[in-house]
Amino acid sequence: MLAHVLRFNHSVNAEKQARVSEALGRPDEPAAEIVGRLIAGLGLPTRLRDVGVKPEQLDLIAENSMQDRWVHTNPRKIEGAAVIRTLLDVAW
């Protein structure tokens, strides 16, 4: 989820993400792309479907995510489960 969440949050924390890009030796590339390639290069899954998540589970995951305190501290405000569902759709 990390690369997807970086893309989601970019509009509100681009400066911080630029520091990530710089630290990873690619200051002119988006952090989400660098991290996504790093994860894929390690042979780790990059999509929810790669870890067995089924499309019919996404609504429940979105709803349950709203109970996670970290969702409420996300840099980009999350107004409800529908926002998370959109992010999950992209990550699926």
Side-chain angles (χ1 to χ4, degrees):
M1 288 297 299
L2 183 55
H4 301 290
V5 172
L6 284 166
R7 278 185 206 95
F8 176 79
N9 285 323
H10 188 265
S11 65
V12 298
N13 67 0
E15 286 183 21
K16 289 181 180 180
Q17 289 193 34
R19 286 187 266 170
V20 171
S21 297
E22 187 173 339
L24 292 171
R26 305 273 188 186
D28 297 325
E29 294 181 45
E33 300 305 316
I34 300 165
V35 169
R37 283 196 309 272
L38 174 64
I39 291 167
L42 293 170
L44 298 171
T46 59
R47 301 174 303 183
L48 292 173
R49 71 183 87 164
D50 298 337
V51 294
V53 175
K54 309 245 183 297
E56 58 270 16
Q57 295 175 297
L58 297 179
D59 283 334
L60 181 60
I61 293 169
E63 288 293 331
N64 288 342
S65 293
M66 293 308 298
Q67 305 307 313
D68 186 322
R69 70 182 182 143
W70 297 111
V71 166
H72 303 287
T73 63
N74 191 66
R76 180 174 163 189
K77 188 172 172 118
I78 296 175
E79 296 286 342
V83 174
I84 293 176
R85 175 57 200 253
T86 301
L87 178 57
L88 293 172
D89 286 336
V90 171
W92 190 81

